[in-house]
Protein backbone atom coordinates (compact mmCIF):
# COMPACT_ATOMS: atom_id res chain seq x y z
CA UNK A 1 0.00 0.00 0.00
CA UNK A 2 1.33 3.46 -0.84
CA UNK A 3 1.87 5.97 1.91
CA UNK A 4 0.67 9.54 1.50
CA UNK A 5 1.53 12.91 3.00
CA UNK A 6 -0.94 15.47 1.66
CA UNK A 7 1.18 18.40 2.85
CA UNK A 8 4.33 17.46 0.97
CA UNK A 9 2.91 15.42 -1.89
CA UNK A 10 5.18 12.48 -0.98
CA UNK A 11 4.10 9.03 -1.99
CA UNK A 12 5.43 5.80 -3.37
CA UNK A 13 4.58 3.77 -6.44
CA UNK A 14 3.12 0.35 -5.76
CA UNK A 15 3.79 -2.51 -8.17
CA UNK A 16 0.33 -3.90 -8.96
CA UNK A 17 1.16 -6.43 -11.67
CA UNK A 18 2.80 -8.89 -11.75
CA UNK A 19 2.56 -9.65 -8.07
CA UNK A 20 5.83 -10.35 -6.31
CA UNK A 21 6.76 -14.01 -6.79
CA UNK A 22 3.66 -14.75 -8.88
CA UNK A 23 4.00 -17.06 -11.86
CA UNK A 24 2.64 -15.40 -14.98
CA UNK A 25 1.66 -17.12 -18.21
CA UNK A 26 2.57 -14.99 -21.24
CA UNK A 27 -0.75 -15.66 -22.95
CA UNK A 28 -2.64 -14.23 -19.96
CA UNK A 29 -1.01 -10.81 -20.02
CA UNK A 30 -0.12 -8.26 -22.70
CA UNK A 31 3.52 -8.08 -23.76
CA UNK A 32 5.44 -4.93 -22.86
CA UNK A 33 4.83 -2.11 -25.30
CA UNK A 34 5.15 1.56 -26.16
CA UNK A 35 3.00 3.89 -28.22
CA UNK A 36 -0.20 2.25 -27.01
CA UNK A 37 -3.41 4.04 -26.01
CA UNK A 38 -5.01 3.70 -22.58
CA UNK A 39 -8.26 4.80 -20.95
CA UNK A 40 -10.15 3.77 -17.82
CA UNK A 41 -13.62 3.53 -16.35
CA UNK A 42 -14.67 2.71 -12.78
CA UNK A 43 -13.71 -0.96 -13.21
CA UNK A 44 -10.82 -1.38 -15.65
CA UNK A 45 -7.89 -0.03 -17.57
CA UNK A 46 -8.19 -0.57 -21.32
CA UNK A 47 -5.09 -0.63 -23.54
CA UNK A 48 -5.06 -0.72 -27.30
CA UNK A 49 -2.21 -1.47 -29.66
CA UNK A 50 1.35 -0.31 -29.25
CA UNK A 51 4.66 -1.70 -30.43
CA UNK A 52 7.47 -3.92 -29.16
CA UNK A 53 10.49 -4.55 -31.46
CA UNK A 54 11.31 -7.67 -29.44
CA UNK A 55 7.69 -8.89 -29.40
CA UNK A 56 6.30 -12.07 -30.90
CA UNK A 57 3.98 -10.38 -33.42
CA UNK A 58 5.13 -10.64 -37.07
CA UNK A 59 3.30 -10.01 -40.31
CA UNK A 60 3.13 -12.47 -43.19
CA UNK A 61 6.52 -11.32 -44.46
CA UNK A 62 8.12 -12.04 -41.08
CA UNK A 63 8.59 -8.38 -40.18
CA UNK A 64 7.59 -6.72 -36.90
CA UNK A 65 4.17 -5.12 -36.76
CA UNK A 66 2.06 -3.28 -34.23
CA UNK A 67 0.09 -5.13 -31.57
CA UNK A 68 -3.46 -5.21 -32.95
CA UNK A 69 -5.21 -6.09 -29.71
CA UNK A 70 -7.38 -4.70 -26.92
CA UNK A 71 -6.80 -5.71 -23.30
CA UNK A 72 -8.41 -4.78 -20.01
CA UNK A 73 -6.92 -4.79 -16.50
CA UNK A 74 -9.36 -5.04 -13.62
CA UNK A 75 -8.62 -2.70 -10.70
CA UNK A 76 -10.18 -5.02 -8.09
CA UNK A 77 -8.96 -8.46 -9.20
CA UNK A 78 -5.64 -7.24 -10.67
CA UNK A 79 -6.13 -9.60 -13.58
CA UNK A 80 -5.58 -9.01 -17.30
CA UNK A 81 -8.02 -10.32 -19.90
CA UNK A 82 -8.04 -9.93 -23.66
CA UNK A 83 -11.12 -8.49 -25.35
CA UNK A 84 -11.71 -10.50 -28.51
CA UNK A 85 -13.32 -7.77 -30.61
CA UNK A 86 -13.43 -8.25 -34.38
CA UNK A 87 -12.26 -5.37 -36.56
CA UNK A 88 -9.50 -4.06 -34.29
CA UNK A 89 -7.76 -1.06 -35.91
CA UNK A 90 -4.49 -2.04 -37.59
CA UNK A 91 -3.16 1.52 -37.21
CA UNK A 92 -3.00 1.24 -33.44
CA UNK A 93 0.36 2.81 -32.63
CA UNK A 94 0.16 6.43 -31.43
CA UNK A 95 -3.59 6.51 -32.01
CA UNK A 96 -5.90 8.72 -29.94
CA UNK A 97 -8.41 7.02 -27.65
CA UNK A 98 -11.29 8.41 -25.58
CA UNK A 99 -13.95 6.63 -23.54
CA UNK A 100 -17.54 7.88 -23.37
CA UNK A 101 -19.95 5.77 -21.37
CA UNK A 102 -19.33 2.17 -22.42
CA UNK A 103 -17.85 3.04 -25.82
CA UNK A 104 -14.18 3.37 -26.73
CA UNK A 105 -13.45 5.79 -29.58
CA UNK A 106 -10.15 5.52 -31.48
CA UNK A 107 -8.95 8.00 -34.08
CA UNK A 108 -5.90 8.07 -36.34
CA UNK A 109 -2.71 6.15 -35.63
CA UNK A 110 -0.05 4.39 -37.64
CA UNK A 111 1.10 0.86 -38.38
CA UNK A 112 4.64 -0.43 -38.95
CA UNK A 113 6.78 0.93 -40.59
CA UNK A 114 5.73 4.08 -38.75
CA UNK A 115 4.53 6.96 -40.87
CA UNK A 116 3.83 4.84 -43.98
CA UNK A 117 0.41 3.44 -43.14
CA UNK A 118 -1.60 6.17 -41.40
CA UNK A 119 -5.29 6.57 -40.57
CA UNK A 120 -7.89 9.32 -40.29
CA UNK A 121 -10.69 6.88 -39.44
CA UNK A 122 -12.81 7.02 -36.29
CA UNK A 123 -13.61 3.56 -34.92
CA UNK A 124 -15.85 2.66 -32.00
CA UNK A 125 -15.94 -0.38 -29.72
CA UNK A 126 -18.83 -0.85 -27.28
CA UNK A 127 -17.60 -2.96 -24.35
CA UNK A 128 -20.91 -2.95 -22.42
CA UNK A 129 -21.61 -6.62 -23.13
CA UNK A 130 -18.12 -8.12 -22.89
CA UNK A 131 -18.29 -11.57 -21.28
CA UNK A 132 -15.72 -13.00 -18.83
CA UNK A 133 -14.05 -14.89 -21.71
CA UNK A 134 -13.51 -11.60 -23.59
CA UNK A 135 -16.16 -12.11 -26.26
CA UNK A 136 -19.15 -9.90 -26.92
CA UNK A 137 -17.58 -6.78 -28.46
CA UNK A 138 -16.73 -5.62 -31.96
CA UNK A 139 -15.24 -2.57 -33.66
CA UNK A 140 -17.44 -0.41 -35.86
CA UNK A 141 -16.21 2.21 -38.36
CA UNK A 142 -17.96 5.56 -37.99
CA UNK A 143 -18.87 6.44 -41.58
CA UNK A 144 -18.23 10.19 -41.66
CA UNK A 145 -18.82 12.63 -44.54
CA UNK A 146 -21.60 10.53 -46.10
CA UNK A 147 -21.85 12.84 -49.12
CA UNK A 148 -18.37 11.78 -50.28
CA UNK A 149 -19.87 8.47 -51.37
CA UNK A 150 -22.45 10.04 -53.68
CA UNK A 151 -20.01 12.58 -55.18
CA UNK A 152 -21.65 15.59 -53.50
CA UNK A 153 -18.61 16.22 -51.30
CA UNK A 154 -14.92 16.20 -52.29
CA UNK A 155 -13.77 15.24 -48.80
CA UNK A 156 -11.43 18.25 -48.54
CA UNK A 157 -12.75 18.90 -45.04
CA UNK A 158 -11.50 15.55 -43.69
CA UNK A 159 -8.62 15.64 -41.20
CA UNK A 160 -5.26 14.52 -42.63
CA UNK A 161 -4.10 10.97 -42.05
CA UNK A 162 -1.96 11.35 -38.96
CA UNK A 163 -0.79 9.78 -35.72
CA UNK A 164 -0.09 11.22 -32.29
CA UNK A 165 -2.90 13.76 -32.66
CA UNK A 166 -5.51 14.58 -30.00
CA UNK A 167 -9.28 14.14 -30.01
CA UNK A 168 -11.63 16.01 -27.70
CA UNK A 169 -15.36 15.46 -27.19
CA UNK A 170 -17.41 18.57 -26.42
CA UNK A 171 -21.17 18.58 -26.70
CA UNK A 172 -22.23 17.27 -30.09
CA UNK A 173 -18.75 17.64 -31.58
CA UNK A 174 -15.41 15.88 -31.77
CA UNK A 175 -12.37 18.13 -32.19
CA UNK A 176 -8.98 17.00 -33.50
CA UNK A 177 -5.68 18.83 -33.26
CA UNK A 178 -2.15 18.19 -34.51
CA UNK A 179 -0.43 14.94 -35.33
CA UNK A 180 2.44 13.65 -37.45
CA UNK A 181 1.60 13.13 -41.13
CA UNK A 182 4.74 11.10 -41.93
CA UNK A 183 7.87 9.82 -40.23
CA UNK A 184 10.11 12.57 -41.63
CA UNK A 185 7.45 15.27 -41.98
CA UNK A 186 6.90 18.10 -39.55
CA UNK A 187 3.85 17.67 -37.35
CA UNK A 188 0.83 19.79 -38.22
CA UNK A 189 -1.32 22.22 -36.25
CA UNK A 190 -4.54 21.46 -38.15
CA UNK A 191 -7.89 21.77 -36.37
CA UNK A 192 -10.99 19.88 -37.48
CA UNK A 193 -14.41 19.33 -35.98
CA UNK A 194 -16.85 16.45 -36.50
CA UNK A 195 -20.56 17.07 -36.01
CA UNK A 196 -21.84 13.93 -34.28
CA UNK A 197 -25.38 14.56 -35.52
CA UNK A 198 -24.58 14.94 -39.23
CA UNK A 199 -21.26 13.02 -39.15
CA UNK A 200 -19.71 15.73 -41.33
CA UNK A 201 -16.20 17.09 -40.72
CA UNK A 202 -15.29 20.74 -41.08
CA UNK A 203 -11.96 22.57 -41.18
CA UNK A 204 -11.54 25.14 -38.40
CA UNK A 205 -9.43 28.28 -38.85
CA UNK A 206 -9.13 29.67 -35.32
CA UNK A 207 -8.07 33.24 -34.58
CA UNK A 208 -5.35 34.15 -32.11
CA UNK A 209 -1.82 32.81 -31.83
CA UNK A 210 -1.92 29.31 -33.28
CA UNK A 211 0.42 26.80 -31.54
CA UNK A 212 3.17 25.18 -33.56
CA UNK A 213 2.44 21.79 -35.07
CA UNK A 214 3.20 18.89 -32.76
CA UNK A 215 2.43 15.26 -31.97
CA UNK A 216 2.22 13.18 -28.77
CA UNK A 217 1.03 16.26 -26.88
CA UNK A 218 -1.47 15.95 -24.05
CA UNK A 219 -4.84 17.66 -23.68
CA UNK A 220 -6.96 18.72 -20.70
CA UNK A 221 -10.28 20.53 -20.80
CA UNK A 222 -12.90 22.42 -18.85
CA UNK A 223 -16.41 23.51 -19.78
CA UNK A 224 -15.24 26.26 -22.13
CA UNK A 225 -11.83 25.34 -23.54
CA UNK A 226 -9.21 22.67 -24.02
CA UNK A 227 -5.51 23.21 -23.27
CA UNK A 228 -2.43 21.76 -24.97
CA UNK A 229 0.66 20.64 -23.02
CA UNK A 230 4.00 19.83 -24.65
CA UNK A 231 4.33 17.55 -27.65
CA UNK A 232 7.05 16.89 -30.19
CA UNK A 233 8.30 17.95 -33.60
CA UNK A 234 11.30 16.61 -35.53
CA UNK A 235 13.87 16.01 -32.77
CA UNK A 236 12.34 18.78 -30.68
CA UNK A 237 10.03 18.85 -27.66
CA UNK A 238 7.62 21.69 -27.03
CA UNK A 239 7.65 23.55 -23.70
CA UNK A 240 5.01 22.94 -21.05
CA UNK A 241 5.52 26.24 -19.23
CA UNK A 242 3.72 27.84 -22.20
CA UNK A 243 0.30 26.31 -22.90
CA UNK A 244 -2.35 27.12 -25.48
CA UNK A 245 -6.05 27.20 -24.76
CA UNK A 246 -8.70 26.80 -27.44
CA UNK A 247 -12.12 28.38 -26.82
CA UNK A 248 -15.01 26.39 -28.32
CA UNK A 249 -17.35 29.39 -28.38
CA UNK A 250 -14.88 31.90 -29.87
CA UNK A 251 -12.98 29.47 -32.16
CA UNK A 252 -9.84 31.16 -30.91
CA UNK A 253 -6.46 30.27 -29.42
CA UNK A 254 -5.02 32.00 -26.36
CA UNK A 255 -1.38 31.68 -25.31
CA UNK A 256 -0.79 31.37 -21.55
CA UNK A 257 2.44 31.75 -19.58
CA UNK A 258 2.27 29.56 -16.50
CA UNK A 259 3.64 30.27 -13.02
CA UNK A 260 6.67 28.30 -11.78
CA UNK A 261 7.14 26.28 -8.64
CA UNK A 262 8.90 28.73 -6.26
CA UNK A 263 11.73 26.23 -5.67
CA UNK A 264 11.94 24.08 -8.81
CA UNK A 265 10.70 26.34 -11.58
CA UNK A 266 8.79 24.73 -14.44
CA UNK A 267 8.99 21.27 -16.05
CA UNK A 268 11.34 20.62 -18.96
CA UNK A 269 9.87 20.62 -22.48
CA UNK A 270 8.71 17.11 -23.32
CA UNK A 271 6.76 14.84 -25.62
CA UNK A 272 5.43 11.28 -25.24
CA UNK A 273 4.71 11.84 -21.55
CA UNK A 274 1.86 10.82 -19.25
CA UNK A 275 -0.97 13.07 -18.06
CA UNK A 276 -4.12 12.66 -15.97
CA UNK A 277 -6.73 15.24 -15.05
CA UNK A 278 -8.86 15.21 -11.89
CA UNK A 279 -11.33 18.09 -11.97
CA UNK A 280 -9.06 21.15 -12.26
CA UNK A 281 -5.89 19.40 -11.13
CA UNK A 282 -3.46 18.10 -13.75
CA UNK A 283 -0.54 15.71 -13.23
CA UNK A 284 2.20 15.06 -15.79
CA UNK A 285 4.99 12.49 -15.56
CA UNK A 286 8.00 11.26 -17.49
CA UNK A 287 8.46 11.75 -21.22
CA UNK A 288 11.23 12.57 -23.67
CA UNK A 289 13.25 15.79 -23.65
CA UNK A 290 15.71 16.92 -26.34
CA UNK A 291 18.75 19.03 -25.50
CA UNK A 292 20.37 21.74 -27.69
CA UNK A 293 22.27 18.98 -29.48
CA UNK A 294 19.67 16.77 -31.17
CA UNK A 295 21.73 13.75 -30.15
CA UNK A 296 21.11 14.58 -26.49
CA UNK A 297 17.92 12.95 -25.31
CA UNK A 298 16.77 12.84 -21.70
CA UNK A 299 14.29 10.22 -20.53
CA UNK A 300 12.44 11.77 -17.60
CA UNK A 301 11.09 10.37 -14.32
CA UNK A 302 9.65 13.49 -12.68
CA UNK A 303 6.05 14.19 -11.64
CA UNK A 304 4.46 17.63 -11.60
CA UNK A 305 1.11 19.04 -10.48
CA UNK A 306 -0.58 21.88 -12.39
CA UNK A 307 -3.62 23.85 -11.27
CA UNK A 308 -6.11 25.05 -13.87
CA UNK A 309 -7.33 27.56 -11.28
CA UNK A 310 -4.02 29.37 -10.73
CA UNK A 311 -1.95 28.12 -13.73
CA UNK A 312 0.82 27.29 -11.25
CA UNK A 313 3.24 24.34 -11.32
CA UNK A 314 4.27 22.33 -8.29
CA UNK A 315 6.92 19.62 -8.46
CA UNK A 316 6.17 16.49 -6.43
CA UNK A 317 8.90 14.76 -4.45
CA UNK A 318 7.90 11.37 -5.86
CA UNK A 319 9.61 10.04 -8.99
CA UNK A 320 8.54 7.33 -11.40
CA UNK A 321 9.90 3.81 -10.72
CA UNK A 322 12.18 4.30 -13.76
CA UNK A 323 12.68 7.02 -16.39
CA UNK A 324 10.21 6.27 -19.18
CA UNK A 325 8.54 7.69 -22.28
CA UNK A 326 5.82 6.52 -24.67
CA UNK A 327 4.02 5.20 -21.58
CA UNK A 328 0.40 5.85 -20.61
CA UNK A 329 -1.31 6.78 -17.35
CA UNK A 330 -4.98 6.77 -16.29
CA UNK A 331 -7.00 7.48 -13.15
CA UNK A 332 -9.01 5.03 -11.01
CA UNK A 333 -12.00 5.79 -8.73
CA UNK A 334 -9.69 5.42 -5.70
CA UNK A 335 -7.69 8.40 -7.04
CA UNK A 336 -4.70 6.30 -8.00
CA UNK A 337 -2.74 7.13 -11.12
CA UNK A 338 -2.05 3.86 -12.94
CA UNK A 339 1.10 3.61 -15.07
CA UNK A 340 1.60 1.02 -17.79
CA UNK A 341 4.14 0.39 -20.56
CA UNK A 342 6.69 2.71 -22.15
CA UNK A 343 10.34 2.69 -23.15
CA UNK A 344 13.12 2.62 -20.53
CA UNK A 345 16.73 3.78 -20.82
CA UNK A 346 17.86 0.37 -22.11
CA UNK A 347 15.22 0.44 -24.86
CA UNK A 348 13.10 -2.30 -23.29
CA UNK A 349 9.32 -1.98 -23.20
CA UNK A 350 7.71 -2.34 -19.80
CA UNK A 351 4.90 -4.82 -19.09
CA UNK A 352 4.45 -3.78 -15.44
CA UNK A 353 1.48 -1.99 -13.89
CA UNK A 354 2.20 0.52 -11.12
CA UNK A 355 -0.07 2.83 -9.23
CA UNK A 356 0.40 6.00 -7.19
CA UNK A 357 -2.08 7.71 -4.86
CA UNK A 358 -2.39 11.26 -6.16
CA UNK A 359 -1.82 13.98 -3.58
CA UNK A 360 -4.44 16.71 -3.07
CA UNK A 361 -7.23 14.25 -4.01
CA UNK A 362 -9.60 12.62 -1.49
CA UNK A 363 -11.49 9.59 -2.81
CA UNK A 364 -14.97 8.70 -1.62
CA UNK A 365 -15.09 6.59 1.54
CA UNK A 366 -16.79 3.70 -0.29
CA UNK A 367 -13.93 3.69 -2.84
CA UNK A 368 -11.38 3.49 -0.05
CA UNK A 369 -13.27 0.58 1.52
CA UNK A 370 -13.53 -1.24 -1.81
CA UNK A 371 -9.84 -0.70 -2.45
CA UNK A 372 -8.88 -2.20 0.92
CA UNK A 373 -11.23 -5.16 0.48
CA UNK A 374 -10.15 -5.97 -3.08
CA UNK A 375 -6.48 -5.63 -2.21
CA UNK A 376 -6.83 -8.03 0.72
CA UNK A 377 -9.04 -10.63 -1.01
CA UNK A 378 -6.43 -12.41 -3.13
CA UNK A 379 -8.84 -14.74 -4.99
CA UNK A 380 -11.64 -12.27 -5.48
CA UNK A 381 -11.76 -13.01 -9.21
CA UNK A 382 -12.76 -16.63 -8.47
CA UNK A 383 -15.73 -15.76 -6.27
CA UNK A 384 -19.37 -15.96 -7.36
CA UNK A 385 -20.75 -12.39 -7.63
CA UNK A 386 -24.14 -13.57 -6.36
CA UNK A 387 -22.54 -15.01 -3.21
CA UNK A 388 -20.49 -11.86 -2.70
CA UNK A 389 -23.69 -9.84 -2.79
CA UNK A 390 -26.02 -12.06 -0.77
CA UNK A 391 -23.64 -13.69 1.71
CA UNK A 392 -20.95 -11.04 2.21
CA UNK A 393 -23.15 -7.99 1.71
CA UNK A 394 -21.05 -6.34 -0.99
CA UNK A 395 -23.16 -3.82 -2.96
CA UNK A 396 -24.20 -4.99 -6.41
CA UNK A 397 -22.51 -2.00 -8.10
CA UNK A 398 -19.13 -3.15 -6.80
CA UNK A 399 -19.75 -6.81 -7.65
CA UNK A 400 -20.41 -5.67 -11.22
CA UNK A 401 -16.94 -4.15 -11.34
CA UNK A 402 -15.26 -7.53 -11.18
CA UNK A 403 -15.70 -8.22 -14.91
Amino acid sequence: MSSLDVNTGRSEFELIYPREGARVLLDLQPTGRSGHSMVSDESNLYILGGYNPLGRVLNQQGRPTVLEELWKFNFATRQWSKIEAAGCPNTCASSSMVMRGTSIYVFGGTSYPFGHIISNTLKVCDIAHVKPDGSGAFWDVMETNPNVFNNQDTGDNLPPRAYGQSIIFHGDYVYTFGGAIGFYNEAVADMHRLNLRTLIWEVLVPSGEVPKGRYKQEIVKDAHSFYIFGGGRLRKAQPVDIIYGYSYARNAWTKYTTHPDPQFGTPKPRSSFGLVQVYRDVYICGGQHYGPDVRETDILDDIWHFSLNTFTWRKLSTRLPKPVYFHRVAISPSMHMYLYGGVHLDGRRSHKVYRYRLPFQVPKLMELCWDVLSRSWKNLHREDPKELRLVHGIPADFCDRLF
Side-chain angles (χ1 to χ4, degrees):
M1 181 177 180
S2 58
S3 59
L4 176 66
D5 185 332
V6 173
N7 295 320
T8 65
R10 291 175 184 167
S11 183
E12 297 177 353
F13 274 85
E14 176 187 3
L15 177 62
I16 294 296
Y17 188 94
R19 284 187 173 129
E20 192 104 10
R23 186 175 170 216
V24 177
L25 298 176
L26 293 180
D27 291 339
L28 299 182
Q29 67 167 7
T31 186
R33 64 194 63 205
S34 61
H36 51 293
S37 304
M38 187 166 81
V39 293
S40 63
D41 58 17
E42 64 181 9
S43 306
N44 300 288
L45 293 175
Y46 301 90
I47 65 163
L48 171 71
Y51 174 73
N52 188 334
L54 302 178
R56 307 181 298 275
V57 181
L58 302 174
N59 63 15
Q60 292 180 348
Q61 289 74 40
R63 297 173 183 172
T65 186
V66 297
L67 300 157
E68 299 175 18
E69 55 190 24
L70 178 65
W71 290 79
K72 69 174 182 176
F73 179 81
N74 190 271
F75 293 129
T77 65
R78 304 190 181 188
Q79 299 289 314
W80 283 107
S81 57
K82 192 174 183 180
I83 298 177
E84 302 290 352
C88 184
N90 65 333
T91 51
C92 52
S94 294
S95 53
S96 302
M97 187 158 75
V98 173
M99 191 160 198
R100 295 189 91 198
T102 61
S103 293
I104 294 173
Y105 292 79
V106 175
F107 182 73
T110 183
S111 189
Y112 188 87
F114 304 130
H116 292 266
I117 303 173
I118 316 175
S119 171
N120 63 350
T121 299
L122 187 61
K123 299 194 83 171
V124 187
C125 182
D126 188 345
I127 49 83
H129 304 293
V130 173
K131 300 174 183 176
D133 64 359
S135 63
F138 64 93
W139 289 93
D140 185 36
V141 177
M142 186 174 287
E143 299 288 357
T144 61
N145 279 34
N147 289 331
V148 170
F149 300 101
N150 56 24
N151 297 320
Q152 294 180 2
D153 186 349
T154 63
D156 292 344
N157 52 349
L158 289 167
R161 297 178 185 272
Y163 57 99
Q165 68 274 73
S166 299
I167 61 169
I168 307 95
F169 280 80
H170 178 72
D172 291 330
Y173 294 95
V174 177
Y175 293 78
T176 74
F177 169 79
I181 57 174
F183 194 76
Y184 295 105
N185 298 87
E186 277 287 10
V188 298
D190 294 1
M191 278 278 293
H192 292 75
R193 182 172 72 175
L194 175 67
N195 186 318
L196 290 172
R197 293 183 180 274
T198 65
L199 296 182
I200 294 176
W201 285 101
E202 61 179 307
V203 181
L204 297 179
V205 185
S207 60
E209 186 171 346
V210 179
K212 292 180 179 178
R214 60 193 70 197
Y215 98 123
K216 296 302 290 183
Q217 66 280 346
E218 294 292 337
I219 298 285
V220 302
K221 65 178 184 176
D222 58 23
H224 311 289
S225 304
F226 70 78
Y227 305 87
I228 297 174
F229 290 76
R233 302 171 70 215
L234 288 176
R235 302 295 293 175
K236 181 177 177 63
Q238 296 297 323
V240 292
D241 59 332
I242 302 293
I243 64 175
Y244 291 83
Y246 173 81
S247 167
Y248 305 115
R250 296 187 295 110
N251 186 30
W253 287 106
T254 302
K255 181 180 178 180
Y256 298 96
T257 300
T258 61
H259 305 297
D261 181 299
Q263 182 177 357
F264 298 103
T266 56
K268 288 182 177 181
R270 66 193 64 202
S271 66
S272 310
F273 57 102
L275 179 148
V276 293
Q277 178 182 5
V278 184
Y279 307 115
R280 298 189 65 81
D281 293 308
V282 179
Y283 301 82
I284 71 169
C285 62
Q288 192 171 29
H289 168 76
Y290 296 101
D293 184 338
V294 296
R295 293 170 297 182
E296 297 177 6
T297 303
D298 289 337
I299 312 304
L300 306 172
D301 64 354
D302 51 354
I303 306 176
W304 294 75
H305 168 264
F306 180 79
S307 170
L308 280 174
N309 292 323
T310 64
F311 276 48
T312 301
W313 289 102
R314 179 172 181 175
K315 187 176 184 181
L316 303 186
S317 58
T318 303
R319 308 191 82 85
L320 297 176
K322 290 183 179 180
V324 68
Y325 68 104
F326 271 126
H327 56 297
R328 302 303 297 168
V329 291
I331 192 76
S332 74
S334 60
M335 294 302 161
H336 284 94
M337 179 176 75
Y338 277 72
L339 165 69
Y340 172 76
V343 186
H344 292 312
L345 292 171
D346 60 3
R348 293 183 179 274
R349 272 63 174 174
S350 174
H351 70 286
K352 296 180 178 179
V353 181
Y354 293 92
R355 75 174 187 175
Y356 162 57
R357 173 68 60 74
L358 291 173
F360 324 122
Q361 308 301 327
V362 180
K364 295 178 181 178
L365 179 58
M366 62 180 182
E367 297 294 348
L368 289 173
C369 294
W370 177 241
D371 184 60
V372 171
L373 184 147
S374 59
R375 188 178 63 248
S376 304
W377 201 325
K378 301 300 183 185
N379 294 314
L380 187 59
H381 61 289
R382 296 197 180 108
E383 300 294 339
D384 182 351
K386 185 176 181 180
E387 184 173 328
L388 290 174
R389 186 173 67 255
L390 298 178
V391 177
H392 300 284
I394 298 175
D397 288 349
F398 287 94
C399 294
D400 292 340
R401 293 187 184 185
L402 298 175
F403 303 103

